[in-house]
Amino acid sequence: IVLTQSPATLSLSPGERATLSCRASQSTTNYLAWYQQKPGQAPRLLIYDTSNRAAGIPARFSGSGSGADFTLTISSLDPEDFAVYYCQLRSDWPSTWTFGQGTRVEIK
Amino acid sequence: QVLLQESGPGLVKPSETLSLTCTVSGGSVSTSFFYWSWIRQPPGKRLEWIGHFYYSGSMVYNPSLESRATIAVDTSKNHFSLTLTSVTAADTAVYFCAMGLPPGFWGQGTLVTVSS
């Protein structure tokens, strides 16, 4: 399964809403996760199983979707949210993992 | 709080074998229901899953790397390792070890450059 993220780059201002898309090449499980990565750092888990926030993640981050289309929404961008975001899918059997190519959220 | 730390050579010659170790503290690699993984990221590119194992010792690998990658566990030292044979420049990347399903705990990553 191939994951395609769009857009490649999102230019927004602090306080605006960000909507990031992750599309799978076929209908799949709901084991879809989202990560945030800043330069020189390891990825940070935001969302798991499509819509569950990881521990310590602010409520402005939410995930949704099903089938082959998934979305990460940041309701109001904080200055610390400007980063690259990756989606990641776990297939049921075999338990292989796939990452999308990333969406960069930059300050407009 | 689980902490993971990658270690190993930062430079490997083409055709040779890359070997990395992930040392775990604050948790045990033999704990039930935990997944332990290796993930890499070539410079400026997307993350790529290499493989993982869980408490039963079952290893699962990325099909594109399965012929060259081996993950091993040493419960006495509470660490796990990655070996990747016959490396090329395409294997140049930051290599991360991580824990969880999906991974919620990550090491800081270590850059491995393949070059003569």
Side-chain angles (χ1 to χ4, degrees):
Chain A
I1 296 178
V2 176
L3 295 181
T4 301
Q5 293 186 240
S6 62
T9 303
L10 201 49
S11 298
L12 295 168
S13 300
E16 289 193 295
R17 182 184 189 90
T19 303
L20 288 68
S21 172
C22 178
R23 176 165 290 180
S25 54
Q26 63 189 69
S27 184
T28 182
T29 67
N30 283 339
Y31 300 135
L32 194 285
W34 290 93
Y35 296 85
Q36 176 193 70
Q37 188 178 33
K38 296 181 179 179
Q41 296 185 14
R44 174 192 180 197
L45 178 65
L46 302 174
I47 302 287
Y48 65 94
D49 294 352
T50 299
S51 59
N52 297 290
R53 270 190 304 277
I57 301 303
R60 63 179 181 273
F61 291 93
S62 64
S64 63
S66 65
D69 289 303
F70 300 89
T71 300
L72 173 70
T73 301
I74 310 172
S75 60
S76 177
L77 281 165
D78 188 274
E80 67 183 15
D81 298 337
F82 292 93
V84 178
Y85 292 82
Y86 292 96
C87 58
Q88 179 238 326
L89 179 69
R90 172 168 66 95
S91 300
D92 231 347
W93 186 260
S95 182
T96 57
W97 302 355
T98 304
F99 288 90
Q101 84 278 20
T103 289
R104 180 180 304 278
V105 178
E106 64 176 26
I107 299 177
K108 187 174 182 180
Chain B
Q1 176 80 352
V2 177
L3 297 176
L4 303 100
Q5 178 68 58
E6 306 88 352
S7 59
L11 181 64
V12 181
K13 290 182 168 57
S15 80
E16 295 191 345
T17 295
L18 177 160
S19 296
L20 296 173
T21 297
C22 180
T23 301
V24 179
S25 57
S28 170
V29 295
S30 57
T31 301
S32 299
F33 307 115
F34 284 175
Y35 282 65
W36 306 88
S37 55
W38 285 101
I39 295 162
R40 70 181 184 178
Q41 186 171 36
K45 296 188 177 181
R46 76 174 74 187
L47 297 157
E48 180 180 31
W49 168 70
I50 299 171
H52 64 249
F53 70 94
Y54 49 103
Y55 73 100
S56 71
S58 299
M59 307 295 184
V60 183
Y61 297 98
N62 186 325
S64 69
L65 296 169
E66 189 166 17
S67 63
R68 299 193 294 127
T70 301
I71 296 173
V73 186
D74 187 332
T75 55
S76 67
K77 295 180 179 178
N78 207 35
H79 73 205
F80 60 104
S81 62
L82 170 71
T83 58
L84 189 66
T85 61
S86 305
V87 297
T88 69
D91 295 308
T92 293
V94 175
Y95 286 76
F96 297 98
C97 57
M99 188 213 85
L101 185 70
F105 295 94
W106 295 64
Q108 64 186 24
T110 186
L111 175 63
V112 178
T113 301
V114 178
S115 174
S116 56

